[in-house]
Amino acid sequence: MGREGYAPLFETKEAKGRIAYKMYAISVFMGVCMIWMYRATHVPEKGLRWAWFGMFGAEIWFVIDWIFSQSARWRPVYRSTFKERLSHRYEDELPGVDIFVCTADPTIEPPTLVINTVLSVMAYDYPQEKLSIYLSDDGGSDLTLYALLEASRFSKHWIPFCKKFKVEPRSPAVYFATTSEPHDTQRTKEWLSTKKLYEEMVNRIGTAVKLGRISGEIRAEHKGFTEWQSVVNSHNHQAIIQILIDGRDPDAVDAEGSTLPTLVYMAREKRPQHPHNFKAGALNALIRVSSVISNRPIILTVDCDMYSNNAESVRDALCFFMDEEKGREIAYVQFPQSFHNLSKNDIYGNSYKAINGMEFHGIDGYGGPIYVGTGCFFRRESLCGKKYSEEYKEEWKKGMEGRAKRNAMELEDRAKGLASCTCEENTQWGKEMGVKYGCLAEDVITGMAIQCRGWKSMYLNPTRKAFLGVAPTTLLQSLVQHKRWAEGHLQIFTKHCSFIKGNGKIKLGLQMGYAIYNVWALSAFPILFYVVVPSLSLLNGISLFPKILRPWSIPFAYVTVAKHTYSLVEGLWLGDTVESWWNQQRIWLYRRTSAYFFADIDVALKLSGLAKSAFAITAKETDDEVAKRYEQEIMEFGSTSPMFTILATLAMLNLFCLIGAIKRVAMGDEMGDVEALMLQFVLCGVLVIINWPIYQGLFLRKDMGRLPTSVAFTSIGLAVLACLIPMH
């Protein structure tokens, strides 16, 4: 309860059952110490000593990685809010909120997807005059501006409809797709009329997108379209700022006569000779532009595909910021990154239940969590570089005051200078101010910098998810996305290591929490070694493990069984099925042997100056056939990719090794002590089973999602070549 008479706006509870978990963790560590002892005392006097020491090195790395992960499970905390207390105390003093939505390419991120996210946050259960929504369009597309203009008109009907009938979720596309026509006569009438307005809007936008241009009639409707007379292309244009709804305007009201939130379109200036720093640059431009238009003390950043799924998320976040005792030390509140289009058994492991449901709760206990780039509420001053101090006190009432004298056009003109290419020159933007530059994981490094300045962050994972996005629906999309994430995290580890940057500034547990993800890419090499060398050794009759019935096999068996049993139990507790857990084990292996391997290569090339960073956007739409296979949980390949070649080669290599070893044993060929090879038989067999979707894609499937013939021939050839190389 805190001080006498004080009722907090949020509470924190530590997880139960941690003693049992700690005993399990200690037993696993004792088991790996026994494995290390075996490796150190049983080094072969001749033969493949390099393979033995390679296995030893891989096992050391696995333990280091596992120790990092313990920081996320040692003392997880769970937080909940008291929104009724917030309303009772501060309803008339609630701060304004600036909401930043970022999009970059209208072909990959369709305008209808973007405006559904915008409409969902415009309709928050919050005083509308205290909301300002900004859309950053890094694609510089007049189609996106047109879609936003249409959304601004539709919002006059959508917002009152949502509030009148307490609609959830408030993305119209999702709501109308998942909600049947109500039975109540009055509500049915409004439901049908609102749905009709939405469908008409979508059709108009769809027609414009299909044509690839805006008609002259539409261009005449708004002055903003004249800006495109000076646009060369999406990478070479002036700053474009358009205030589509001015919340200060008494005429800016919805169909019920209530105030509408401010709505702003921004396409920052881009010139070929100036670096634009991808999403980080867009967010920093939004921070500056919003400072002259609304300057709200709270900022929400959200990706264009992450619609609001909970209309009360703003109030949830404010329970942390406005708490009388602890609120002033909180810089940001992070909600989990969740998705609405997961397949039944999560074939590509996109649910991130272990991260969202366990790891971030554990990191939160040490002053975390990590900022993940979307679904995060910030205190504006913390994002702008301010250091925390005990004397700090937030002025919640600042915002629109002082801007009433300037009309919208004046604000637009002033904001354009803050969205120019040159406004950051000789400043601290991207360094000590705003979102950090120089890293593909700009979100993660920004959060760490804020925490190193003395601020704390909070993690809230409510039962009803705050935001839901679009998960990758093909294997290649998922691997490319993870390659980008792993590459960004490795850049952080090499340039901004949490153990160095955070030393003395953040807790050791939080430093380790960052390391869990920062070393993702480095795990590629020991995993590849463990996938390849034991199988080839098995084919050649060379033992790398103890005999199956000898005491030294016990620690290997115990650590393997205990670790995976705990993983399964944790997964089931977090809502996984056994099949979805198995899918996660498969995708865990695929990411490390392909995406993370190429992330290592790219980082090495960039560190050596041979390549530059590039930001790959994950596609948000798929064709009908791909969507059908995704729903049926048939793994989607369908194209050539170096990552597919690696995965197929590893799958074929393990298949050849297993078949070859079994054949040699069955025919009585010289294989050495078969008992000493049993653990390698088990490992190789598991790898063959886990690769079943690849064998289907190579040989059994006839649909367009199968692996291409060229990948089949290449992988078989490489696998045969590897099997023919003598290991002695």
Side-chain angles (χ1 to χ4, degrees), residues 473-474 622-632 634 636 701 703-705:
T473 56
T474 72
T622 54
D623 63 45
D624 292 340
E625 288 300 315
V626 172
K628 183 178 179 180
R629 286 192 290 271
Y630 177 67
E631 187 176 344
Q632 295 172 340
I634 299 172
E636 185 72 27
R701 288 168 53 183
D703 57 76
M704 296 301 294

Side-chain angles (χ1 to χ4, degrees), residues 41 66 113 147 152 158 164 176 180 189 248 260 276 316 405 439 488 491 510 528 535 545 589 626 634 639 672 720:
T41 58
W66 177 78
L113 174 86
S152 70
W158 177 246
K164 183 175 182 179
F176 288 123
S180 57
K189 183 179 179 180
R248 306 165 305 162
L260 284 168
H276 58 83
D316 276 323
K405 296 180 181 179
C439 178
Q491 289 175 339
L510 183 52
L528 280 168
S535 297
F545 293 97
L589 179 67
V626 172
I634 299 172
S639 61
V720 170

Side-chain angles (χ1 to χ4, degrees), residues 414-576:
R414 188 179 177 196
K416 285 179 181 179
L418 298 176
S420 70
C421 287
T422 57
C423 71
E424 292 184 353
E425 292 180 357
N426 302 314
T427 71
Q428 291 298 309
W429 283 102
K431 301 173 185 175
E432 298 300 323
M433 294 178 65
V435 182
K436 294 272 192 177
Y437 295 157
C439 178
L440 289 178
E442 75 287 328
D443 42 14
V444 178
I445 192 175
T446 298
M448 184 167 66
I450 290 172
Q451 292 163 342
C452 288
R453 291 197 289 265
W455 296 95
K456 291 183 179 179
S457 57
M458 297 284 161
Y459 179 62
L460 185 63
N461 187 9
T463 302
R464 181 175 184 87
K465 300 301 181 185
F467 304 93
L468 289 176
V470 180
T473 56
T474 72
L475 179 60
L476 187 58
Q477 287 176 5
S478 179
L479 293 177
V480 169
Q481 183 183 67
H482 262 265
K483 175 184 172 294
R484 186 181 79 237
W485 290 350
E487 187 177 336
H489 277 287
L490 187 55
Q491 289 175 339
I492 294 175
F493 190 71
T494 55
K495 296 180 180 180
H496 310 277
C497 179
S498 58
F499 295 109
I500 298 173
K501 293 286 186 179
N503 185 33
K505 299 175 182 177
I506 58 177
K507 293 180 180 179
L508 177 61
L510 183 52
Q511 295 173 33
M512 294 172 64
Y514 276 102
I516 295 172
Y517 313 106
N518 291 170
V519 301
W520 265 351
L522 295 180
S523 64
F525 299 109
I527 292 292
L528 280 168
F529 195 93
Y530 233 79
V531 167
V532 173
V533 175
S535 297
L536 288 175
S537 299
L538 172 65
L539 181 64
N540 287 272
I542 300 168
S543 173
L544 296 176
F545 293 97
K547 294 182 178 181
I548 192 69
L549 298 178
R550 300 298 173 86
W552 280 114
S553 67
I554 295 175
F556 285 91
Y558 175 75
V559 169
T560 302
V561 172
K563 186 177 181 300
H564 287 89
T565 299
Y566 171 78
S567 173
L568 175 59
V569 171
E570 181 181 272
L572 294 175
W573 180 67
L574 293 172
D576 281 331

